[in-house]
Amino acid sequence: MNSMSEKNDTKSDVARSDITREKLLENALDVFGRYGFDGASTRKITNAAGVNLQAIPYYFGSKEGLYIATADYLANIIGQYIGGMRQRMAEQIAALDATGMPLGEAQARLFLNEIVETMVVLFVSKKSEAWARFIIREQMEPTAAFERVYSGVMGPMIGLGRRLIGAIIADDPASENVRLRCLSFVGSLMVFRMANAAVLAQMEWDAIGDKEIARLQQHARRLVAALGPAKGEIS
Amino acid sequence: MNSMSEKNDTKSDVARSDITREKLLENALDVFGRYGFDGASTRKITNAAGVNLQAIPYYFGSKEGLYIATADYLANIIGQYIGGMRQRMAEQIAALDATGMPLGEAQARLFLNEIVETMVVLFVSKKSEAWARFIIREQMEPTAAFERVYSGVMGPMIGLGRRLIGAIIADDPASENVRLRCLSFVGSLMVFRMANAAVLAQMEWDAIGDKEIARLQQHARRLVAALGPAKGEIS
DNA sequence: GTCTATAGTCGGATAGAC
DNA sequence: GTCTATCCGACTATAGAC
């Protein structure tokens, strides 16, 4: 059924091989995210993964090769989590476009609500800590890995966000205004992941559990509800 | 007048001492922010500062001592940039409180507009790149340095933001709602610093120059204008 | 495919000359 | 106060046994 069982005589080797690769990537994501490329040592990664130090040059050529592979791996994981939702929405929107019907504001708000609720859960989940650290590092000091994560996940997702926000505030999704609004909207949620320490201090929370997640989801829905056409500025 | 000229015979030494310290802190901020504590090497820092490698153990005891001192230095610098504005506003608000008069919505919006315009300039300035990197690292993996930056600058600033947003959306500044709204508001601006790479890609900007700063300031004012009482949620 | 041994480099900290 | 010289540990990558 899967690639692990093509041949009987190599089955266990291939399986071990895949497990070692997977473990390495999993732990590389965590350690690279935590300490950065320079700060992360291959020893730390292989120890955490429970594999031999030589597995890195063997499977990925070098530490740098592992880093790039980790970026692809990350884009892949996130894609698995949100790709289905994104594709479903993109298809429904495309179907509307095909009929010439505009995407309605109410429908867009429903879609956006679904997205933000998923995002909030993702942002505060234990596993996304590592992902977020990796991505934020790449944002600050982009390497060759950034392009892989951006074009694989972030770009398409922001594109969908622009489309939805455009429908909600009745503006062209390609306009500067919608782009800025969309980025700010993402920021208004992302802050709960990126500024984790400050958030906990401000909210006087010890940690983010089920109660806090529910609170954040409510807050996220309110942010969606607060989206509206631009008002006049003061001064 | 200042500590540089207490004695004539030691004047030049003390001055050199201060210059060396200052150069070290300045470059430590950049290098630590860029590579993190582990990734940053003392050789990188002293080379960039143009001082001897031994200056670090001499002045700061150790690499770790330099890191802590760098956090204080950073809190100090940022305080110099925004402390005046913050204090002026805090005093005017305190004066209102003393008379029992509430902080008006229009006044709060004016204050907030001034803050966001300053923040935008700060966020995209070349020098704040290093500051932002340092702070974001601390957010993700807080060390002893976080408390110094948070209580020195971030905490007071967020407190002011909560007060202003509370006045604008007519809610208690201590409420969960205002705390969350304030954090999200900060995030909606901070995204332009933190997600720099994604922002440039989305906006199709090569870099952030005067034109882009003006555009971001306009956008920030619109975000202030968009702040309002909570609306009903959908679904 | 996985292991041990090791080469070669770079890290932080110390000692001591000036 | 600042420099050179140096120790010692940790790092990545390679060679070769099994």
Side-chain angles (χ1 to χ4, degrees):
Chain A
M1 269 320 194
N2 57 36
S3 64
M4 286 170 58
S5 48
E6 291 172 332
K7 287 182 174 183
N8 226 344
D9 57 324
T10 60
K11 178 182 168 184
S12 60
D13 277 358
V14 174
R16 278 184 73 183
S17 204
D18 283 355
I19 290 171
T20 302
R21 272 187 70 93
E22 180 82 11
K23 275 191 182 171
L24 266 175
L25 288 169
E26 197 179 310
N27 288 278
L29 183 53
D30 184 63
V31 177
F32 278 136
R34 226 174 262 282
Y35 304 103
F37 182 78
D38 291 324
S41 71
T42 54
R43 284 165 214 274
K44 239 175 250 160
I45 295 170
T46 52
N47 280 342
V51 305
N52 190 271
L53 182 62
Q54 275 51 48
I56 290 175
Y58 183 78
Y59 284 108
F60 302 99
S62 67
K63 182 186 181 182
E64 201 174 341
L66 174 60
Y67 190 76
I68 297 294
T70 302
D72 286 332
Y73 173 72
L74 175 60
N76 228 307
I77 295 185
I78 300 180
Q80 283 175 13
Y81 271 81
I82 61 171
M85 181 177 71
R86 191 182 69 75
Q87 202 174 346
R88 174 165 50 80
M89 291 184 185
E91 278 165 10
Q92 289 187 39
I93 292 173
L96 278 177
D97 287 346
T99 63
M101 279 174 58
L103 172 63
E105 183 194 329
Q107 178 66 59
R109 284 191 197 272
L110 284 175
F111 278 161
L112 201 54
N113 265 340
E114 188 183 339
I115 291 176
V116 298
E117 290 188 6
T118 308
M119 298 283 260
V120 164
V121 174
L122 205 62
F123 278 173
V124 300
S125 73
K126 197 70 192 160
K127 57 186 163 256
S128 84
E129 273 192 40
W131 311 352
R133 276 191 287 252
F134 191 96
I135 292 173
I136 293 169
R137 261 171 211 282
E138 277 299 323
Q139 291 282 336
M140 296 191 296
E141 201 85 355
T143 70
F146 173 70
E147 182 54 36
R148 298 172 123 82
V149 177
Y150 181 77
S151 62
V153 197
M154 293 180 62
M157 207 60 201
I158 296 177
L160 176 57
R162 273 164 58 177
R163 189 68 208 274
L164 295 175
I165 288 174
I168 291 171
I169 69 175
D171 200 348
D172 179 8
S175 67
E176 264 199 340
N177 182 45
V178 171
R179 292 183 204 203
L180 291 168
R181 290 286 293 260
C182 183
L183 287 168
S184 279
F185 186 77
V186 172
S188 65
L189 293 176
M190 211 164 43
V191 69
F192 295 103
R193 162 50 66 212
M194 290 188 295
N196 204 265
V199 166
L200 292 181
Q202 274 297 309
M203 299 307 296
E204 293 167 21
W205 289 346
D206 290 330
I208 298 185
D210 290 347
K211 206 184 77 189
E212 287 76 19
I213 290 180
R215 188 70 189 80
L216 287 176
Q217 285 183 319
Q218 181 198 37
H219 172 64
R221 288 193 302 270
R222 285 185 182 169
L223 289 178
V224 173
L227 281 175
K231 300 179 197 173
E233 304 161 27
I234 288 192
S235 89
Chain B
M1 269 322 194
N2 56 36
S3 65
M4 286 171 59
S5 47
E6 292 174 332
K7 285 182 175 182
N8 227 343
D9 57 326
T10 59
K11 178 181 168 185
S12 60
D13 277 359
V14 175
R16 278 182 74 184
S17 204
D18 283 355
I19 290 170
T20 301
R21 272 188 70 95
E22 180 82 11
K23 275 191 182 170
L24 266 176
L25 288 169
E26 198 178 310
N27 288 279
L29 183 53
D30 184 63
V31 178
F32 278 135
R34 226 175 262 281
Y35 304 103
F37 182 77
D38 291 324
S41 72
T42 55
R43 286 174 165 85
K44 236 177 252 159
I45 295 170
T46 52
N47 280 342
V51 305
N52 190 271
L53 181 62
Q54 274 49 48
I56 289 175
Y58 182 78
Y59 284 107
F60 302 99
S62 68
K63 182 186 183 183
E64 202 174 339
L66 174 60
Y67 190 75
I68 297 294
T70 303
D72 287 332
Y73 174 73
L74 175 60
N76 227 308
I77 296 184
I78 300 181
Q80 283 174 15
Y81 269 81
I82 61 172
M85 181 177 70
R86 190 182 68 76
Q87 203 174 346
R88 174 165 50 78
M89 291 184 184
E91 279 165 9
Q92 289 187 39
I93 291 173
L96 277 177
D97 287 347
T99 64
M101 280 174 58
L103 174 62
E105 181 194 331
Q107 178 65 58
R109 284 192 198 274
L110 284 175
F111 277 160
L112 202 53
N113 265 339
E114 188 184 339
I115 291 175
V116 298
E117 290 188 6
T118 307
M119 298 283 260
V120 164
V121 174
L122 204 61
F123 278 173
V124 300
S125 74
K126 197 71 189 159
K127 58 186 161 253
S128 84
E129 273 191 41
W131 310 351
R133 276 190 288 252
F134 192 96
I135 292 173
I136 293 169
R137 263 172 210 281
E138 277 297 323
Q139 291 282 336
M140 296 191 296
E141 201 85 355
T143 69
F146 173 70
E147 182 54 36
R148 296 172 124 83
V149 176
Y150 181 77
S151 61
V153 196
M154 293 179 64
M157 207 61 201
I158 295 177
L160 176 58
R162 273 163 60 176
R163 190 67 207 274
L164 295 174
I165 289 174
I168 291 171
I169 70 175
D171 200 349
D172 178 8
S175 68
E176 263 199 341
N177 182 45
V178 170
R179 292 183 204 201
L180 291 168
R181 291 286 293 260
C182 183
L183 288 168
S184 279
F185 186 77
V186 172
S188 65
L189 293 176
M190 213 164 42
V191 69
F192 295 102
R193 161 50 67 210
M194 290 188 295
N196 204 265
V199 166
L200 292 180
Q202 273 297 310
M203 299 307 296
E204 293 167 22
W205 289 347
D206 291 330
I208 298 186
D210 290 346
K211 205 184 76 191
E212 287 78 19
I213 290 180
R215 188 70 189 80
L216 287 175
Q217 285 184 319
Q218 181 198 37
H219 171 64
R221 287 193 302 271
R222 285 184 181 170
L223 289 179
V224 174
L227 282 175
K231 302 178 196 173
E233 304 162 26
I234 289 191
S235 88

